[in-house]
Amino acid sequence: MEKTAKCVQKILEDHPKNPSADKKAEEIQWTAIHPNYPIKEGECPICRGKGFLRAFINGNEYIKNCVCEERRIAMQRIKNSGLADIIEKRTFDNFQTPEEWQKRLKQKALQFLDEKGKWFFVGGQVGCGKTHLCTAICAEFIKKGISVRYVIWSNEIVKLKANKMEDEAYQRLINPLLITPVLYIDDFFKTEKEKRPSEADIRTAFEIINYRYINSDLITIFSTEKTIDDLIEIDEAIGSRIHEKTEGYRNIILEKKERNWRLKQTSERVKNE
C-alpha cells in the first residue's frame, strides 16, 4: 500500500495540471473516497478507515494518503529499522550538551542531515552518547520518509557467519544491509578487550562497506569504540573507505573517564535516591 500511495502522489506531483498550480493548497477539498461509509470503532474519521483522501480539481481526480496512513507508514519504518525501543528517548532535543565537545558533536550530527554522499562516524569514549546521537540522526531520516536499518555489529556478524555456507539464507540476511538507504552499524568491530576481529568478520564487513561505498547514494552511520586509525590498522581497505566517505563527519571522542555520560548519570541518580 505504501508503494501504491507513493506512485499516486508522484503522478499528482508530475501531472501537468498539478493542483498547486491551479488552485491554492488551502482551497483544495480533500474528502474520504467513500464519505457515506459508516465508521467502525477505532477507524480514522477523516478517511473513514480507507487510508486515502481524494479531491477533484478542474475535472481531474487526485488521491493522497490520509494523515492516519502517513502515521502508520512512519511507525512501520520505525519498526523495520530496529530502533523502535529507543528512538523516542534518544532525540536531538534530549541530548545534553553542557560540555563544548558535546555541542560540537551535536552540531556535526545536525549538519550531516543536509549532506549528500557522506557517511557519519563517531568513535572513542564509552558511554559518551554515541548511540544516542546516531539514533537521533536515524529518527530524522525516518521522518523524511527514508528507510533506515539499525544493527548491533556483534549480534549481526554472528548471524551472518552462522549462515555463510547456506547461500540463500546468507543472502537473505546480508542483502538488507547492502541496499537499505540508511544503515546504522552500532559498536562496529566491537570485540573482547584487545582482541582483533577475525578474518571472517573482516571479510563480511568489507562486503557490506564496499557495496555501500560503490553505491554512493547509500548512507552509512557508524558508532564504535574504535578510531579511524584503529580501523585502518585492522584492515586498510575498510578503514580507508570509511575515512574517505566520512570526511567532515569523523568524530573521535578522546577517552576520559569524565566523558562517560552514562556512568555520570547513573552516579547522579544513586546520589539522589
Side-chain angles (χ1 to χ4, degrees):
M1 186 176 283
E2 181 180 350
K3 187 176 180 182
T4 303
K6 283 182 179 176
C7 291
V8 171
Q9 289 184 303
K10 183 74 169 66
I11 292 168
L12 172 61
E13 291 164 4
D14 295 344
H15 196 283
K17 292 185 178 180
N18 189 319
S20 62
D22 300 319
K23 205 170 185 182
K24 290 181 180 177
E26 60 268 19
E27 295 174 351
I28 298 171
Q29 297 299 310
W30 294 99
T31 61
I33 293 174
H34 300 291
N36 298 320
Y37 271 20
I39 305 173
K40 296 178 184 176
E41 186 177 351
E43 287 185 338
C44 174
I46 300 171
C47 64
R48 308 186 87 80
K50 297 302 176 184
F52 302 98
L53 299 172
R54 70 176 173 181
F56 289 95
I57 300 134
N58 296 333
N60 296 304
E61 181 183 23
Y62 295 91
I63 305 289
K64 74 169 187 175
N65 284 339
C66 179
V67 289
C68 70
E69 179 67 6
E70 290 294 342
R71 194 178 300 117
R72 185 198 66 78
I73 291 169
M75 292 304 294
Q76 189 60 46
R77 284 198 186 102
I78 292 171
K79 184 178 177 182
N80 292 344
S81 73
L83 292 165
D85 293 338
I86 60 174
I87 203 164
E88 289 185 7
K89 297 175 184 175
R90 295 176 179 178
T91 65
F92 281 117
D93 286 343
N94 61 26
F95 183 80
Q96 297 179 45
T97 58
E99 305 288 341
E100 195 59 40
W101 64 269
Q102 292 166 317
K103 291 175 185 174
R104 288 195 300 270
L105 185 58
K106 182 176 180 178
Q107 183 181 14
K108 278 291 183 183
L110 288 166
Q111 184 182 327
F112 178 72
L113 293 170
D114 296 321
E115 275 288 357
K116 301 288 183 188
K118 292 284 188 179
W119 293 357
F120 188 86
F121 180 95
V122 56
Q125 175 64 51
V126 175
C128 67
K130 300 188 298 292
T131 299
H132 183 139
L133 210 53
C134 291
T135 301
I137 293 172
C138 290
E140 294 303 313
F141 281 126
I142 290 170
K143 286 177 188 175
K144 293 178 182 181
I146 301 170
S147 294
V148 171
R149 194 170 191 93
Y150 166 70
V151 295
I152 299 172
W153 178 254
S154 55
N155 295 347
E156 207 66 21
I157 192 63
V158 168
K159 290 187 284 186
L160 288 166
K161 288 193 295 185
N163 288 276
K164 185 67 175 177
M165 304 309 292
E166 298 289 335
D167 189 59
E168 187 177 335
Y170 179 75
Q171 291 304 321
R172 190 166 59 247
L173 287 170
I174 200 168
N175 279 347
L177 311 185
L178 301 178
I179 67 174
T180 185
V182 179
L183 175 65
Y184 169 27
I185 304 177
D186 195 6
D187 275 337
F188 183 54
F189 273 160
K190 185 177 179 67
T191 59
E192 293 176 26
K193 193 167 180 136
E194 310 259 333
K195 192 174 178 181
R196 176 185 166 84
S198 71
E199 289 306 311
D201 291 13
I202 293 168
R203 284 194 299 272
T204 304
F206 179 79
E207 183 178 356
I208 295 166
I209 288 161
N210 189 54
Y211 182 94
R212 300 183 66 80
Y213 173 82
I214 292 168
N215 294 273
S216 59
D217 57 328
L218 300 176
I219 297 167
T220 313
I221 298 167
F222 300 88
S223 59
T224 175
E225 294 171 21
K226 311 291 185 189
T227 65
I228 293 288
D229 287 343
D230 292 334
L231 298 184
I232 290 172
E233 187 177 338
I234 290 167
D235 186 86
E236 190 172 345
I238 290 173
S240 61
R241 281 163 172 75
I242 295 173
H243 180 272
E244 178 187 332
K245 292 288 285 184
T246 57
E247 184 180 3
Y249 297 98
R250 292 189 294 270
N251 305 280
I252 305 299
I253 313 304
L254 299 178
E255 292 190 17
K256 293 183 179 179
K257 190 175 180 182
E258 61 270 25
R259 289 181 174 176
N260 189 331
W261 206 246
R262 188 186 306 136
L263 192 61
K264 187 182 287 188
Q265 286 180 319
T266 303
S267 299
E268 286 175 0
R269 278 199 301 268
V270 170
K271 258 195 249 179
N272 294 329
E273 284 177 358

